[in-house]
Amino acid sequence: MAHIQWSDDLNTNIAVIDSQHKRIVSYINNLEDVKDKDDRTVEEQVLNELVDYTLSHFAFEESLMEDAGYGFINGHKRVHQLFVKRVSDFMQRFKLGEDITEELLIVLKAWLINHIKSDDNDYVDIVKKNLGNMDARKGDGWLTMSVKKFFA
Ligand SMILES: [Fe+2]
Ligand SMILES: [Fe+2]
């Protein structure tokens, strides 16, 4: 399978979100790289990094949606939760010794690209507008602080 190549249609044009999405893509590509090396320790490490980072991204994204008063936040959170459940089922199987990486990669690639292009794209206008006002309301550096909080 091929690496995911970042393309312009994946951009939300919210810089902090795009850099997080790119990082998730690079973790998926790392997983692709280690897949055939038959080293479960390395695979587990990449899987854990990918899962940890993705959970932080979801929490961060949800906080931006919440602050912006995005109307479909509950649905979006539910979509994140269902995906987390799906991935944790894969992790369980991995821990039981199964080779799940190929199957997981197919799911990750399809899910992520679809999610960025449709669900994430849907909050962009309201979140972008809110971020524009945020420094005035909450003081400079709010975004940096918030990133630190979720990615400590
Ligand atoms: Fe999302
Ligand atoms: Fe996202």
Side-chain angles (χ1 to χ4, degrees):
M1 268 193 297
H3 277 181
I4 303 178
Q5 302 291 341
W6 191 262
S7 56
D8 284 346
D9 57 353
L10 292 170
N11 283 325
T12 62
N13 294 314
I14 299 170
V16 65
I17 291 292
D18 289 337
S19 77
Q20 290 173 14
H21 285 160
K22 283 177 183 167
R23 180 114 169 238
I24 295 173
V25 163
S26 84
Y27 281 129
I28 293 174
N29 288 338
N30 285 350
L31 188 60
E32 182 84 57
D33 290 338
V34 301
K35 181 188 61 177
D36 296 323
K37 291 193 176 140
D38 255 352
D39 185 335
R40 290 181 62 86
T41 313
V42 175
E43 246 176 85
E44 186 168 17
Q45 195 185 324
V46 178
L47 282 168
N48 286 334
E49 283 170 349
L50 171 67
V51 170
D52 279 359
Y53 191 84
T54 304
L55 290 177
S56 299
H57 167 67
F58 286 170
F60 175 78
E61 197 174 76
E62 288 166 12
S63 82
L64 287 190
M65 289 189 274
E66 181 145 27
D67 197 86
Y70 174 60
F72 296 101
I73 184 170
N74 289 336
H76 199 128
K77 277 184 172 172
R78 181 87 187 118
V79 169
H80 284 169
Q81 278 162 9
L82 287 171
F83 180 67
V84 169
K85 168 83 176 75
R86 214 168 154 196
V87 172
S88 69
D89 289 347
F90 272 104
M91 294 299 279
Q92 275 308 112
R93 287 169 54 199
F94 179 86
K95 282 182 188 127
L96 293 171
E98 242 186 277
D99 187 3
I100 49 95
T101 312
E102 184 84 43
E103 194 187 336
L104 176 60
L105 276 166
I106 294 169
V107 169
L108 288 174
K109 288 177 184 179
W111 188 89
L112 184 74
I113 287 173
N114 177 60
H115 184 71
I116 291 176
K117 284 184 182 172
S118 58
D119 301 330
D120 285 353
N121 187 59
D122 195 66
Y123 68 62
V124 166
D125 286 348
I126 193 164
V127 165
K128 211 192 265 179
K129 203 193 271 172
N130 187 53
L131 281 173
N133 301 327
M134 206 175 258
D135 279 353
R137 280 192 297 120
K138 301 200 174 192
D140 251 358
W142 180 86
L143 197 58
T144 318
M145 295 266 296
S146 183
V147 169
K148 278 199 189 124
K149 183 168 111 198
F150 289 105
F151 295 90

